[in-house]
């Protein structure tokens, strides 16, 4: 039997955003039913209110039952509205919602979800209760320039944001007391559309605050909080939004306030937009404004976690607080504050480390510096490697490293690279004694695991597996799953991915005004029986999205092999200023005009959390071929693991420590040449070899039942060895033990190399 599944049997079990859900239900409401009298007015109000409460806590986004509940209210609008429950509910009156709920028998599901949310919020039986008691009422303040929680809250661009979102969700799940601090970007990052010739166009849309789960943060007297930050050039104001993420509060600062100059009202409108001056002003608001917001709200953090250098001005404001509150000297306050600060560096790519001129620093930090009582040169020296080199700019990573007790990279290999990269900050130390450890990134399992896969785990894992997701034991039960059942579940998910791709690709053709024939052809791209390789991530050039096309004849041969064909799905945005990245996109998108690739290589526009979720849940293989060692960690491959997809990756970032020979595929031997051109040629050869000699033969090696036994064994090995280890639960437990607890005054302990 060759596993082909009719997707209709899956209807109703599709998870959020699998999108392939096709409703047969006539969702028009009103008419006769409106007079049926099922819903009394009071019930209607109460039901509406409960749905709104659910929609205002992002907890819903990692509960498949609650997501399905929202979808069932109106499956078509749900998809059109980017899976945004508040926008959806706002299209209903309480009465219309009550009627719809009666038709779909949603009342008990709403009540049940509502009860579960409150049980979750009130439960004190958490991992942190027993393991991080010392944090007590003093939460960790977690600063990040982006938070990727869900596609409907577009305040993220890529991996860093999704990591912050997953961090916050796991802190909630584990009960770690933590508050997030970020910025509210009313236009988010851009939406990507390709023109007829495959070139990326960026479009910015204003998100309506009323459609988002944002509440104005209020002062104790009930007035909305506005924080002010002085610069040499006038005052910057920011209001503060509160987002509830399970048990965790996230505060987002927003400069669109009356009282700001018109150009400053736009300051936080775009993520990673604008020039250096915009950048330093955003970072001033995030770091200094963020600390002020916490204080105004009466929150006294026990530890400060700076996720990447963007927020590294924060400790300066905390130092000022100590000096004013406790009469400390600058030096003493500095020492004290760094004891409570944790800094995480995220990239070995030089452009990823913000550097600012002395003039920009003076303009923006001058007034704070006056309060700190230090000279301009002194302040600059804190952001420099060579403290007295007047030509060296102020680097956010350098101040982050200097003002933190614990600094870490995000994978074992990235730890080595970071120690080498920053060794000149500690000239008297040997490289392996540079105080930068590592905590490898992980992903929030419940957010990335497909509903069907979760049901499979529910059937075969111990009942309490979800409270032990970050530990190895429960995952061993994957080996007792029937191989056919695992394979069927995977293929069902693959079918959902293929219908998603077809829908998106035909929509793209329609938007570009292409012919009916082309649109029709787009509805049947890709095939369910073919080995499907996915690649989705930012189109930063070091990620080499086009590596697999280095030799067009060779890849065309693999794709068109009649016995063992291959198909490819790509998605990703290039930064608006990254011309080479845009050319990579163009090159790949235009392959659809080449008959060897048409219908077999698809490019999905506007990569976001939703597109990523579809891809990583349905591919057979997730391809990752960065130029080593530039991928600090990478997390998308970790999401694939959870759903049974196999990684095929360069031994870089997380994969360098994850690959064990039996849980996926390695490209090359973990080496690179000092000349990029040579590295790229070698790596493309390795890539083809891995595909030709390992990936393709293993996938097509079937037994009498049509099952690829060795492949399924590899899927099981991948799940059992990797799922827990590269989960954000494990990651947040590590941060808690080695960083948060010691910083809050618990026992100190060194960051150990995992
Ligand atoms: C997970 C994720 C990423 C990170 O992918 P990498 O492999 O780390 O580059 C980027 N963007 C989105 C939308 C994601 O969900």
């Amino acid at each position: 039997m060759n596993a082909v599944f009719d997707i209709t049997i899956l209807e109703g079990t599709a998870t959020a955003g699998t999108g392939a859900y096709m409703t047969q239900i006539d969702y028009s409401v009103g008419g006769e039913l409106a007079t049926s009298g099922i819903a009394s007015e009071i019930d209607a109000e109460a039901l509406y209110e409960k749905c709104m409460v659910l929609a205002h806590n992002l907890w819903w986004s990692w509960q498949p039952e609650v997501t399905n509940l929202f979808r069932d209210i109106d499956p078509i609008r749900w998809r059109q509205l980017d899976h945004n429950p508040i926008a959806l509910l706002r299209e209903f009156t309480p009465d219309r919602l009550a009627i719809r709920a009666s038709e779909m028998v949603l009342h008990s599901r709403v009540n049940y979800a509502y009860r579960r949310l409150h049980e979750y919020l009130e439960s004190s039986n958490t991992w942190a209760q027993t393991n991080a008691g010392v944090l007590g009422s003093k939460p960790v303040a977690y600063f990040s320039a982006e938070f990727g929680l869900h596609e409907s809250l577009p305040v993220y661009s890529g991996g860093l944001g999704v990591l912050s979102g997953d961090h916050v969700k796991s802190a909630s799940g584990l009960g770690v007391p933590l508050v997030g601090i970020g910025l509210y970007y009313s236009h988010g990052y851009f939406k990507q559309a390709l023109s007829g010739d495959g070139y990326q166009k960026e479009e910015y849309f204003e998100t309506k605050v009323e459609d988002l789960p944002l509440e104005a943060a209020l002062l104790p007297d009930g007035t909305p909080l506005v924080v002010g930050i002085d610069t040499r050039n006038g005052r910057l104001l920011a209001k503060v939004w509160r987002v509830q993420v399970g048990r965790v509060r996230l505060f987002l600062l927003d400069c669109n306030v009356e009282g700001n100059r018109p150009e400053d009202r736009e300051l936080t409108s775009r993520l990673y937009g604008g020039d250096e001056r915009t950048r330093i002003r955003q970072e001033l608001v995030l770091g200094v404004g963020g600390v002020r917001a916490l204080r105004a709200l009466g929150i006294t953090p026990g530890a400060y976690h700076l996720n990447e250098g963007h927020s590294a001005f924060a400790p300066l404001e905390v130092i000022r607080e100590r000096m004013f509150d406790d009469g400390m000297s600058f030096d003493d306050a500095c020492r004290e504050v760094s004891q409570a600060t944790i800094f995480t560096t995220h990239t070995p790519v030089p452009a990823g480390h913000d550097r600012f001129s002395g003039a920009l620093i003076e303009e923006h930090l001058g007034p704070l510096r006056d309060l700190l009582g230090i000279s301009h040169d002194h302040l600059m020296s804190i952001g420099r490697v060579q403290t007295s080199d007047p030509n060296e700019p102020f680097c956010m990573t350098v101040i982050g490293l200097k003002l933190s007790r614990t600094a870490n990279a995000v994978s074992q290999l990235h730890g080595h690279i970071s120690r080498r990269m920053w060794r000149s900050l500690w000239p008297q130390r040997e490289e392996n004694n540079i105080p930068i450890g590592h905590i490898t990134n992980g992903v929030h399992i419940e957010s990335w695991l497909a509903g069907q896969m979760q049901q499979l785990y529910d059937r075969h894992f111990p009942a309490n597996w979800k409270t032990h997701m970050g530990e190895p034991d429960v995952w061993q039960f994957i080996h007792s799953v029937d191989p056919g059942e695992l394979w069927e579940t995977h293929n069902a998910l693959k079918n959902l991915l293929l219908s998603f791709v077809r829908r998106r690709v035909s929509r793209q053709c329609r938007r570009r005004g292409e012919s009916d024939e082309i649109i029709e052809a787009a509805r049947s791209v890709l095939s369910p029986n073919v080995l499907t390789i996915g690649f989705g991530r930012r189109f930063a050039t070091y990620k080499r999205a086009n590596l697999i096309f280095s030799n067009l004849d060779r890849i065309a041969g693999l794709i068109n092999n009649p016995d063992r064909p291959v198909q490819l799905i790509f998605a990703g945005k290039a930064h608006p200023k990254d011309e080479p990245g845009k050319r990579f996109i163009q090159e790949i998108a235009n392959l659809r005009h080449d008959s060897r690739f048409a219908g077999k290589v698809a490019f999905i526009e506007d990569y976001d959390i939703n597109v990523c979720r579809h891809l990583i849940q349905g591919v057979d293989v997730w391809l990752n071929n960065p130029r080593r060692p530039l991928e600090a960690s990478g997390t998308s491959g970790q999401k694939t693991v959870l759903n049974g997809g196999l990684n095929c990756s360069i031994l870089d970032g997380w994969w360098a420590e994850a690959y064990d020979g039996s849980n996926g595929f390695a490209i090359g031997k973990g080496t690179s040449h000092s000349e990029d051109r040579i590295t790229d040629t070698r790596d493309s050869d390795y890539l083809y070899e891995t595909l030709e000699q390992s990936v393709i033969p293993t996938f097509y090696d079937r037994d009498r039942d049509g099952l690829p036994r060795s492949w399924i064994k590899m899927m099981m090995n991948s799940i059992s060895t990797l799922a827990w280890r590269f989960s954000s639960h494990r990651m947040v437990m590590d941060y808690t033990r080695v960083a948060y607890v010691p910083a809050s005054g618990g026992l100190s302990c060194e960051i150990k190399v995992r």
Side-chain angles (χ1 to χ4, degrees):
M1 177 203 88
N2 216 338
V4 183
F5 293 87
D6 181 352
I7 59 161
T8 55
I9 58 162
L10 294 160
E11 284 175 14
T13 55
T15 44
T18 48
Y21 185 89
M22 303 286 181
T23 180
Q24 306 298 321
I25 303 152
D26 173 13
Y27 67 98
S28 63
V29 288
E32 321 86 333
L33 274 163
T35 55
S36 67
I38 297 169
S40 78
E41 220 166 276
I42 296 172
D43 286 349
E45 294 287 345
L47 179 81
Y48 194 84
E49 177 60 25
K50 283 183 181 173
C51 287
M52 273 297 189
V53 168
L54 287 168
H56 277 83
N57 189 324
L58 280 151
W59 174 81
W60 71 263
S61 69
W62 67 90
Q63 307 298 320
E65 309 93 274
V66 192
T67 311
N68 292 346
L69 172 66
F70 288 134
R71 180 203 55 206
D72 288 346
I73 293 174
D74 187 336
I76 293 174
R77 290 301 289 154
W78 176 245
R79 186 187 290 160
Q80 289 168 343
L81 292 168
D82 251 347
H83 311 132
N84 179 335
I86 298 175
L88 181 75
L89 290 167
R90 277 166 43 87
E91 295 189 347
F92 281 80
T93 61
D95 285 340
R96 274 188 65 224
L97 184 71
I99 292 160
R100 182 64 186 152
S102 298
E103 283 174 348
M104 293 297 293
V105 205
L106 300 180
H107 279 95
S108 58
R109 288 166 67 191
V110 173
N111 286 329
Y112 180 60
Y114 186 80
R115 205 165 56 239
R116 279 191 46 230
L117 170 62
H118 285 88
E119 277 166 16
Y120 177 78
L121 295 177
E122 281 146 27
S123 155
S124 57
N125 182 16
T126 63
W127 175 85
Q129 189 73 16
T130 32
N131 293 278
V134 56
L135 296 178
S137 57
K138 287 190 163 186
V140 176
Y142 179 86
F143 288 77
S144 185
E146 34 170 330
F147 284 88
L149 293 155
H150 187 259
E151 56 267 28
S152 61
L153 183 57
V155 292
Y156 67 94
S157 85
L160 182 72
V162 173
L163 180 83
S164 309
D166 283 359
H167 192 108
V168 164
K169 290 173 185 175
S170 278
S172 170
L174 294 164
V176 174
L178 181 142
V179 294
I181 296 101
L183 297 177
Y184 175 65
Y185 308 96
S186 54
H187 291 78
Y189 200 49
F190 66 91
K191 292 240 168 222
Q192 177 196 54
L194 301 191
S195 62
D197 64 356
Y199 193 74
Q200 169 177 296
K201 293 182 300 184
E202 296 99 29
E203 296 170 349
Y204 290 87
F205 295 96
E206 173 140 16
T207 330
K208 286 203 213 100
V209 169
E210 314 84 81
D211 285 343
L212 297 178
L214 305 182
E215 309 274 359
L218 302 179
L219 292 169
D221 68 2
T223 53
L225 166 61
V226 175
V227 296
I229 309 125
D230 288 320
T231 72
R232 289 280 187 237
N233 190 15
R235 188 152 230 243
L236 268 174
L237 302 175
K239 61 185 169 191
V240 183
W241 299 104
R242 182 171 57 80
V243 183
Q244 199 66 39
V245 186
R247 301 178 174 115
V248 169
R249 285 171 299 171
L250 168 62
F251 296 102
L252 300 178
L253 284 82
D254 177 357
C255 287
N256 186 11
V257 217
E258 233 170 90
N260 267 342
R261 283 174 292 199
E263 66 270 27
D264 288 334
R265 294 190 69 153
E266 304 274 301
L267 179 60
T268 51
S269 68
R270 292 180 180 188
L271 173 54
Y272 302 145
D275 55 9
E276 283 198 341
R277 191 155 178 280
T278 306
R279 189 73 166 234
I280 192 173
R281 290 167 86 76
Q282 286 189 346
E283 296 184 358
L284 183 70
V285 173
L286 174 64
V288 177
V291 173
R292 293 205 176 146
L294 291 175
R295 188 177 177 100
L297 293 166
I299 297 168
T300 313
Y304 297 83
H305 185 170
L306 313 175
N307 189 43
E308 189 51 300
H310 309 119
S311 55
F313 291 138
L316 294 174
E317 171 64 9
V318 187
I319 290 168
R320 188 200 63 78
E321 287 182 350
R322 291 293 146 83
M323 291 171 68
F324 277 68
D325 293 350
D326 306 332
M328 278 188 192
S329 69
F330 176 79
D331 287 342
D332 288 345
C334 232
R335 251 190 308 279
E336 188 128 313
V337 169
S338 20
Q339 285 304 305
T341 305
I342 296 116
F343 176 71
T344 304
T345 177
H346 283 271
T347 181
V349 179
H353 300 269
D354 284 322
R355 289 182 168 83
F356 299 116
S357 67
L360 279 177
I361 290 290
E362 177 55 21
E363 180 188 349
H364 294 98
L365 275 297
L368 178 58
R369 176 176 73 69
D370 291 344
L371 298 173
L372 296 174
I374 58 172
S375 68
H376 174 70
D377 288 344
H378 187 172
L379 178 60
M380 287 300 289
S381 73
I382 304 175
R384 283 181 184 144
V385 179
Q386 302 303 331
T387 49
S388 50
D389 176 357
N391 296 318
E392 193 179 318
F394 185 100
C395 175
M396 296 301 274
T397 307
V398 173
I399 183 176
L401 289 169
K402 287 188 184 172
L403 292 187
S404 56
R405 158 205 190 102
T406 308
N408 71 286
V410 292
S411 72
Q412 189 175 56
L413 178 60
H414 182 225
H416 289 295
I417 301 300
S418 300
R419 287 189 285 280
R420 184 169 312 156
M421 190 166 174
W422 299 107
R423 63 182 296 178
S424 49
L425 278 176
W426 291 274
Q428 71 289 9
R429 292 209 188 198
E430 296 287 322
E431 188 173 305
N432 53 11
N433 274 329
I434 299 298
I436 304 176
H438 79 273
I439 291 177
T440 304
N441 286 343
V443 296
H444 186 244
I445 292 174
E446 291 157 290
S447 293
W448 297 105
L449 181 61
Q452 290 93 324
M453 209 64 178
Q454 181 174 315
Q455 286 165 7
L456 179 101
Y457 295 161
D458 283 342
R459 285 197 295 277
H460 296 279
F461 288 11
N464 65 349
W465 76 272
K466 278 207 184 150
T467 47
H468 295 274
M469 286 181 299
E471 300 156 40
D473 296 355
V474 290
W475 296 94
Q476 304 317 310
F477 287 84
I478 191 67
H479 293 290
S480 53
V481 174
D482 173 59
E485 189 184 355
L486 179 58
W487 188 240
E488 277 187 25
T489 309
H490 167 66
N491 279 288
L493 291 168
K494 182 170 168 182
N495 273 305
L496 289 175
L497 167 62
L498 297 194
S499 32
F500 173 76
V501 172
R502 290 169 180 173
R503 197 167 59 243
R504 290 287 288 247
V505 171
S506 61
R507 192 175 89 191
Q508 289 165 197
C509 294
R510 219 172 312 126
R511 189 186 43 74
R512 285 193 290 253
E514 291 177 348
S515 73
D516 288 347
E517 274 151 87
I518 293 181
I519 296 171
E520 198 46 44
R523 290 211 179 90
S524 56
V525 296
L526 309 184
S527 158
N529 298 322
V530 174
L531 170 61
T532 303
I533 302 178
F535 181 103
R537 47 182 63 79
R538 289 183 303 116
F539 268 54
T541 45
Y542 79 84
K543 295 185 185 245
R544 299 187 298 188
N546 59 353
L547 190 74
I548 198 170
F549 300 112
S550 311
N551 181 337
L552 279 181
D553 291 333
R554 196 160 171 189
I555 186 66
L558 296 180
I559 286 178
N560 293 295
N561 180 324
D563 301 322
R564 305 187 311 183
V566 176
Q567 60 195 6
L568 307 171
I569 309 173
F570 285 85
K573 296 174 177 176
H575 186 276
K577 290 183 182 150
D578 181 8
E579 284 302 324
K582 291 186 186 182
R583 279 199 299 278
F584 281 13
I585 292 177
Q586 194 168 26
E587 190 185 312
I588 293 170
N590 284 343
L591 289 171
R592 68 196 183 102
H593 302 307
D594 181 328
S595 61
R596 294 173 296 174
F597 302 108
K600 293 161 188 165
V601 178
F603 186 90
I604 317 252
E605 295 175 9
D606 204 31
Y607 187 58
D608 67 354
I609 287 179
N610 178 43
V611 174
C612 180
R613 196 193 294 113
H614 280 89
L615 287 174
I616 55 92
Q617 290 181 352
V619 293
D620 296 309
V621 171
W622 190 248
L623 177 64
N624 179 38
N625 45 227
R627 199 175 281 140
R628 191 180 193 268
L630 297 184
E631 190 64 272
S633 167
T635 52
S636 55
Q638 303 169 348
K639 304 168 189 168
T640 312
V641 165
L642 304 168
N643 297 290
L646 292 180
N647 280 276
C648 175
S649 172
I650 294 275
L651 290 164
D652 194 14
W654 78 285
W655 194 239
E657 69 199 78
Y659 174 68
D660 71 0
S662 75
N663 56 6
F665 303 97
I667 303 167
K669 303 186 169 58
T671 54
S672 43
H673 195 274
S674 57
E675 251 184 82
D676 288 350
R677 200 174 38 81
I678 297 175
T679 307
D680 294 354
T681 313
R682 280 189 193 161
D683 284 351
S684 70
D685 281 339
Y686 281 135
L687 169 57
Y688 293 126
E689 267 169 40
T690 307
L691 293 176
E692 290 162 355
Q693 293 167 17
S694 308
V695 180
I696 299 173
T698 315
F699 182 82
Y700 284 107
D701 177 20
R702 305 297 167 105
D703 70 3
R704 268 177 310 168
D705 298 328
L707 294 178
R709 292 276 169 179
S710 319
W711 188 274
I712 297 171
K713 182 74 190 146
M714 231 184 223
M715 288 165 73
M716 291 178 171
N717 291 342
S718 162
I719 293 168
S720 67
T721 60
L722 306 174
W724 67 274
R725 219 174 125 198
F726 299 98
S727 71
S728 53
H729 269 46
R730 188 276 307 149
M731 173 181 79
V732 171
M733 293 192 290
D734 279 356
Y735 276 108
T736 304
R737 282 190 284 241
V738 306
Y740 298 163
V741 167
S744 299
L747 287 177
S748 75
C749 89
E750 284 269 298
I751 287 209
K752 53 183 188 299
V753 175
R754 176 175 277 280

